[in-house]
Amino acid sequence: MIKVIILGAGNVAIHLAKAFQKTKSVEVIQRYNKSTRNSSEFDPSIPFTKDLQELVKADVYIISITDDAIAGFSKRLKFKHGIVVHTSGSIPLEALQCKAAKGVFYPLQTFSKEKKIDFMEVPVCVESELNKNMIILEDLAKAVSRKVYRINSLQREKLHVAAVFASNFSNHMYKIAGDICESNKISFDILKPLILETAKKIQTIEPVIAQTGPARRDDRQTIQKHLSELEGIQKEIYTLVTQSITETYSDGKKL
Amino acid sequence: MIKVIILGAGNVAIHLAKAFQKTKSVEVIQRYNKSTRNSSEFDPSIPFTKDLQELVKADVYIISITDDAIAGFSKRLKFKHGIVVHTSGSIPLEALQCKAAKGVFYPLQTFSKEKKIDFMEVPVCVESELNKNMIILEDLAKAVSRKVYRINSLQREKLHVAAVFASNFSNHMYKIAGDICESNKISFDILKPLILETAKKIQTIEPVIAQTGPARRDDRQTIQKHLSELEGIQKEIYTLVTQSITETYSDGKKL
């Protein structure tokens, strides 16, 4: 049985606690937060403290707080036993300034309080300062997820940039599409099945193969027509992304 | 019973024929194509011809060929009965140069030969030159889809631009994410659940609410770090889309 303490009460902490509680090999023996925020989201049977001095002995301490606060918070953890991990995609392992052994336990998914997540399908990226601790972190990850990856800090940094494109930027493309619909009294609902199918497609087909549309076909007439209908930053984005797609399929030479 | 003839043998024609054949209210009485391409994808019980002179009498003639060829092809349809529709998102109704009444029957989805589609969930946008034909086109659409919308040519043009952002451009964001993974020996599989969840999220939450990431948080330190890791057109896209997100959440004022 791996004994875990969760520090923080945000979305990741909430989902992690729920996932651990479903397992037989992990026990959440305590949780800490500086306030009682989101307390109702956690199982009341988990002992709660607002005082770091009251932390009991555990195998893994999971810091799940905002990125900027991780380094400063970790400094306040004076104990030397166990492993202290954070759950951030963009903070290197070395940012942890605790006395205990360090690690990273990064579940790569977009979490919201309202939406249930099948944690078993959430990729968990683990990293360990000490080789001997890797097995514990992997066991911890495998208890809640079928998808466990060893990712070092440099790779995780790159992965985070990739995730910005894959998730944040694609969501912004949906947002612009929604704005165009709204300006023309078209229901955004019409686009929802297309958006879902586009994301489903790349689960089995590489994005470079799945690409369709005027830029892919180098259909300059349609591209020109679209550009004449856009303005401002929407037009700039259309131009730049079209250029990027066109370059992809012309072996890098500019048209 | 609505009698339909399908002209063309591409992905949309294949999926449409299959969807119509599942209904009790629509009969595909003939299909035309200039060659026997993709013939094996169609039910062999549908009479096939390569000769436009052999077209029989139908209620709706569905032209499902490449956009550029629609106008020229429609000119060759000399009969005056029935309704002639095309299935394109980017071609106006007026581009049809047939003698018969005109219309549009545009299923908004990304189709591939290999992948099964639940046509009932595919939005179909219909437009009719004559009001009296609208009911027939709507009945035809409702026979295969739960999601039928009246969309005029101007709206359809805008919808097509919106779809480029929603689907083509988001797919290109996946592609860039995949490139970053590949350059750093990271499996693109790690990002697939995130991509799917991002697309699922906006089925119920508006994209503007669903937005997350460094640009949304105006986290300039992370943005700068990411920019320092990118180059070329990836860096340009990161800069521009970040600017667009930032402007969205700062009431349009530039930072």
Side-chain angles (χ1 to χ4, degrees):
Chain A
M1 184 73 94
I2 305 174
K3 291 180 179 175
V4 162
I5 296 180
I6 293 175
L7 307 128
N11 287 330
V12 176
I14 293 167
H15 284 280
L16 265 181
K18 282 188 183 143
F20 286 138
Q21 287 202 286
K22 282 188 196 151
T23 73
K24 284 176 182 163
S25 56
V26 182
E27 190 187 359
V28 182
I29 57 168
Q30 193 179 25
R31 63 180 200 87
Y32 158 91
N33 198 47
K34 61 182 174 185
S35 73
T36 55
R37 187 174 77 96
N38 286 342
S39 272
S40 61
E41 303 286 340
F42 292 87
D43 186 327
S45 74
I46 304 172
F48 170 74
T49 178
K50 284 196 268 188
D51 183 356
L52 284 180
Q53 306 307 320
E54 285 182 4
L55 287 187
V56 298
K57 207 166 176 180
D59 300 307
V60 186
Y61 297 79
I62 301 178
I63 304 177
S64 187
I65 62 180
T66 50
D67 290 2
D68 293 348
I70 291 171
F73 179 80
S74 69
K75 228 185 264 184
R76 298 166 56 202
L77 302 179
K78 307 291 187 191
F79 53 85
K80 289 180 179 166
H81 60 270
I83 313 167
V84 171
V85 300
H86 70 66
T87 60
S88 165
S90 59
I91 301 291
L93 180 140
E94 289 74 32
L96 291 171
Q97 294 170 53
C98 50
K99 298 263 186 296
K102 298 159 194 169
V104 178
F105 190 93
Y106 169 43
L108 202 167
Q109 186 52 283
T110 169
F111 296 99
S112 44
K113 221 183 300 174
E114 312 78 35
K115 219 164 164 304
K116 273 196 181 170
I117 285 273
D118 178 4
F119 215 99
M120 270 295 164
E121 297 302 318
V122 175
V124 177
C125 304
V126 292
E127 181 179 6
S128 178
E129 182 190 22
L130 304 176
N131 277 334
K132 63 165 186 170
N133 288 336
M134 186 51 110
I135 294 163
I136 300 177
L137 294 185
E138 277 186 330
D139 283 349
L140 188 65
K142 284 176 187 164
V144 288
S145 170
R146 263 188 288 272
K147 296 167 178 179
V148 179
Y149 298 87
R150 289 187 185 199
I151 294 286
N152 65 37
S153 285
L154 182 66
Q155 286 176 315
R156 194 155 32 75
E157 203 174 297
K158 302 294 184 181
L159 190 56
H160 192 242
V161 184
V164 167
F165 279 94
S167 174
N168 304 156
F169 286 4
S170 59
N171 184 76
H172 192 61
M173 298 300 122
Y174 309 155
K175 195 263 175 190
I176 293 174
D179 287 348
I180 295 171
C181 286
E182 204 182 333
S183 311
N184 294 283
K185 301 192 193 329
I186 302 162
S187 166
F188 180 58
D189 288 346
I190 305 186
L191 288 175
K192 287 178 178 175
L194 175 69
I195 286 170
L196 197 55
E197 184 63 22
T198 304
K200 277 186 185 165
K201 234 180 184 175
I202 61 91
Q203 306 296 315
T204 51
I205 302 169
E206 274 184 84
V208 72
I209 309 290
Q211 188 68 54
T212 57
R216 171 67 185 97
R217 296 191 304 272
D218 198 19
D219 175 353
R220 296 176 202 200
Q221 207 179 327
T222 300
I223 292 167
Q224 282 311 318
K225 198 169 77 179
H226 286 176
L227 284 173
S228 73
E229 290 169 26
L230 294 166
E231 54 188 18
I233 201 158
Q234 290 182 355
K235 189 173 190 164
E236 287 180 62
I237 292 174
Y238 191 102
T239 304
L240 189 61
V241 179
T242 291
Q243 184 196 335
S244 182
I245 297 173
T246 309
E247 283 176 14
T248 302
Y249 297 95
S250 63
D251 296 308
K253 68 173 187 296
K254 296 214 176 195
L255 289 168
Chain B
M1 181 74 92
I2 305 175
K3 291 179 179 177
V4 162
I5 295 179
I6 293 175
L7 307 127
N11 287 331
V12 176
I14 293 166
H15 284 280
L16 265 181
K18 282 188 183 142
F20 285 139
Q21 287 201 287
K22 281 188 197 151
T23 72
K24 284 177 182 165
S25 56
V26 182
E27 190 187 358
V28 182
I29 58 167
Q30 194 179 26
R31 65 180 199 86
Y32 159 91
N33 198 45
K34 60 181 175 185
S35 74
T36 54
R37 186 174 78 95
N38 286 343
S39 273
S40 62
E41 303 285 340
F42 291 89
D43 187 327
S45 73
I46 305 171
F48 171 73
T49 180
K50 284 196 270 189
D51 183 354
L52 284 180
Q53 307 307 319
E54 285 182 4
L55 288 187
V56 298
K57 209 166 175 179
D59 299 307
V60 185
Y61 298 79
I62 301 178
I63 303 177
S64 186
I65 61 179
T66 51
D67 289 4
D68 294 347
I70 291 171
F73 179 80
S74 69
K75 228 186 260 183
R76 296 165 59 203
L77 303 178
K78 306 294 187 188
F79 53 85
K80 290 182 179 164
H81 60 270
I83 314 167
V84 172
V85 300
H86 71 66
T87 59
S88 165
S90 58
I91 302 291
L93 180 141
E94 290 74 28
L96 291 171
Q97 294 171 52
C98 50
K99 299 264 187 297
K102 298 160 193 167
V104 178
F105 190 93
Y106 169 43
L108 202 168
Q109 185 51 282
T110 169
F111 296 100
S112 45
K113 223 183 298 175
E114 313 77 37
K115 217 165 166 305
K116 272 196 182 172
I117 285 275
D118 179 5
F119 215 100
M120 272 294 164
E121 298 302 319
V122 175
V124 177
C125 305
V126 292
E127 181 179 7
S128 178
E129 182 190 21
L130 304 175
N131 277 334
K132 63 167 185 169
N133 288 337
M134 186 51 110
I135 293 163
I136 300 177
L137 293 184
E138 277 186 331
D139 283 348
L140 188 65
K142 284 176 187 162
V144 288
S145 170
R146 264 188 288 272
K147 296 169 178 179
V148 180
Y149 298 87
R150 291 187 184 198
I151 294 286
N152 65 37
S153 285
L154 181 65
Q155 285 176 314
R156 192 153 34 75
E157 204 174 296
K158 302 295 186 184
L159 190 56
H160 192 241
V161 184
V164 167
F165 279 93
S167 175
N168 305 156
F169 286 4
S170 59
N171 184 76
H172 192 60
M173 298 301 123
Y174 308 157
K175 195 262 175 192
I176 293 174
D179 288 348
I180 295 170
C181 286
E182 204 182 332
S183 311
N184 294 283
K185 301 193 192 330
I186 303 162
S187 167
F188 180 58
D189 288 347
I190 305 186
L191 289 175
K192 287 178 178 174
L194 175 68
I195 286 171
L196 197 55
E197 184 62 22
T198 305
K200 277 187 186 164
K201 231 178 186 177
I202 62 90
Q203 305 296 315
T204 50
I205 302 168
E206 274 183 87
V208 72
I209 308 293
Q211 188 69 55
T212 57
R216 171 67 186 95
R217 296 191 304 272
D218 198 19
D219 174 353
R220 295 176 202 199
Q221 207 180 328
T222 301
I223 292 168
Q224 282 311 319
K225 199 169 73 177
H226 286 176
L227 284 173
S228 73
E229 291 169 25
L230 295 166
E231 53 187 20
I233 201 158
Q234 290 181 356
K235 189 173 190 165
E236 287 180 61
I237 292 174
Y238 192 102
T239 304
L240 189 60
V241 179
T242 292
Q243 183 196 335
S244 182
I245 296 173
T246 310
E247 284 177 14
T248 301
Y249 297 95
S250 63
D251 296 309
K253 70 171 185 295
K254 296 214 176 194
L255 291 169

